[in-house]
Amino acid sequence: MGLAWMAWTWQTAVFFAAIAAALALMTVWEIARPGGHPRHGVLGLHTTRGDRLFISLLAAAYIHLGWLAFATGPLWIASIVAIVVAILVFSFV
């Protein structure tokens, strides 16, 4: 079957490589320092590192979808916004 069904551009490859790298980094981090020490953040939830990564990935997906629906600028701006949101999630959630 191959991968001809998907539009594999270099941007798509970088996107999936970044997600794979984030998951690999979180795995190494968990092995090196187990537990993740759940903390109570601004959302009122107890979250671990994995929870915060999941929230960041969901936020990035919604930011990009919203950008495609409502903005006219280049998509890399949405990527920068998503990175800033991820930093904020890991800092305060």
Side-chain angles (χ1 to χ4, degrees):
M1 181 168 149
L3 296 174
W5 60 271
M6 183 158 178
W8 283 101
T9 63
W10 69 268
Q11 295 93 338
T12 307
V14 168
F15 173 75
F16 283 107
I19 291 176
L23 292 172
L25 178 65
M26 292 295 285
T27 301
V28 170
W29 194 0
E30 185 64 27
I31 291 169
R33 299 189 66 182
H37 304 292
R39 66 177 186 216
H40 190 77
V42 296
L43 293 179
L45 303 170
H46 291 283
T47 59
T48 63
R49 292 186 293 247
D51 297 332
R52 291 186 290 274
L53 176 64
F54 181 72
I55 292 168
S56 298
L57 290 174
L58 279 178
Y62 286 116
I63 288 167
H64 282 85
L65 287 172
W67 189 270
L68 289 172
F70 302 114
T72 58
L75 193 58
W76 61 265
I77 296 172
S79 297
I80 291 172
V81 171
I83 290 169
V84 170
V85 167
I87 290 169
L88 291 173
V89 166
F90 270 88
S91 298
F92 299 110
V93 174

